[in-house]
Amino acid sequence: MAEARLGVLISGRGSNLAALLLASRLMADCPYEIVPVAAHDPQAPGLAMAAAEGIATFGQSHQGLGRAAFDAIIEAELHRHGVTHVALAGYMRLLSPGFVARWAGRCFNIHPSLLPAHKGLHVHEAVLAAGETMSGCTVHLVTAELDGGPILGQARVAVLPGDTPESLAARILIAEHQLYPRVIANQFRSVSEPLPRLRALALALPEAAEKLSHGAPGFFVQGGKFFAYFSENHHGNGITALLVKASGVEEQAMLIEQDPELYFRPAYFGPAGWIGIRLDAATDWEMIGRWLERSWQASAPRRLLRLVTGQ
C-alpha cells in the first residue's frame, strides 16, 4: 500500500493529473496513491479522464459560495477519502487561509516559471517580454504567499528564437509532466519510515488535522489543541519519537523508570507533562494508537468529547 494518499485538485483537462497518475502506475513501489480527484467545475474534462481510470472523483461548482465555504466542501471530501497530501494540478482558484494552514507542508503546486521569477498569471508573456533565454517550471509547497512556498524542484527549458507564449507553454508543459511526479514521489521516499503509519493513526481520530509546528509535523484537534508531535533527531539527539500528553510529570517519571528504553522526557515539552515514545525501536503500533487516542481526548474541546464519548 502506498505511503501517501494524494488528493488532486484540478480546474480543466488535467494533464498534470494524467502525468501523476500514469507515472504512479509505471513506478515500482510508487509511494503515493491518487484518491480522489476534485474540481470546482463538475464538467472539467479531467474528472471524466480520472473516472475512466478508476479514480474516485468529485465535482462541485464554486458559484455563489465564498472561498472558505467552498474549500470546506472540498476538504470534507478529501477527509472522507483519507487524503494525507494535496496536489494542485492546474487548479485556478486561490485557496482560503484556513485551508492552506491546515495542509501546511502537505500541499504541492506546480508553476510554469523558474520561481521566484514570474509569479501569478501570464508567465510566458512576461518571460518573452523580458527577453529571457531560459524559463521552466517549479514544484513548491503551498503557503499563504502566492507561488511563494519552499521550492522542492525545478526543470529548465530554453526559450527559442521566435517563441510565442503558446509555443513556450507547450514545451514547459512537457517538463511539468516529467518533474511533478518525480518531485512528489521523492518527497515521500525521503520521509522517515514511521511517519506515514503514525500519520494514518493520528488523522483517523475525529476532526484531527496536521500542520508543521516549528518545522516538525504536529497533529491537532480542529477547534482544540495539539495532541501529538513527530520528532526526528531533535537538535541532533538521534531519536525518532512520538510526543504525546501524559497525565502529568508524575506519570511521566513512572513511565521512564519502568521502561527507559521506550520512554523519555522530551525537551521543552517535558515540564508540561508530555512523554516521548521512541519509534526507532521495535514498536507496538496498537500501543501507539492507544496513546494517540488518549492524548486526543486530553486535547479535544468538550463539545467534540460529548459527541464521541456521549458524556
Side-chain angles (χ1 to χ4, degrees), residues 23-46:
S24 73
R25 293 178 175 176
L26 290 172
M27 284 184 225
D29 300 322
C30 180
Y32 67 82
E33 175 186 6
I34 294 177
V35 281
V37 175
H40 58 87
D41 177 4
Q43 304 304 315

Side-chain angles (χ1 to χ4, degrees), residues 3 15 26 42 44 51 76 81 119 125 190 196 202 260-261 263 269 302:
E3 292 179 356
S15 68
L26 290 172
H81 287 274
K119 300 178 180 181
E125 291 85 348
S190 65
E261 297 298 318
Y263 296 105
F269 293 89
R302 289 182 180 177

Side-chain angles (χ1 to χ4, degrees), residues 7 17 44 63 77 145 154 173 175 184 210 225 268 281 293-294 308:
L17 160 65
Q63 298 297 325
E77 187 68 13
E145 180 186 354
Q154 292 184 314
L173 188 61
I184 287 182
E210 177 183 351
K225 304 173 182 178
Y268 307 118
E293 185 174 358
R294 175 181 161 179
V308 173

Side-chain angles (χ1 to χ4, degrees), residues 7 9 15 18 42 62 64 80-81 94 110 121 123 126 145 155 173 200 217 238 240 258 265 277 282 291:
L9 306 187
S15 68
H62 65 279
R80 190 172 76 84
H81 287 274
L94 291 175
I110 188 160
L121 301 175
V123 169
E145 180 186 354
L173 188 61
T240 300
Q258 288 178 347
R265 189 174 190 266
I277 307 173
W291 267 112

Side-chain angles (χ1 to χ4, degrees), residues 245-264 273 275-277 291 294:
K245 291 184 176 181
S247 60
V249 292
E250 293 83 3
E251 184 186 23
Q252 177 197 84
M254 180 191 71
L255 290 167
I256 295 170
E257 182 179 359
Q258 288 178 347
D259 194 345
E261 297 298 318
L262 179 62
Y263 296 105
F264 67 97
I275 189 73
I277 307 173
W291 267 112
R294 175 181 161 179

Side-chain angles (χ1 to χ4, degrees), residues 36-58:
V37 175
H40 58 87
D41 177 4
Q43 304 304 315
L47 291 178
M49 182 273 292
E53 294 290 346
I55 306 299
T57 62
F58 179 76

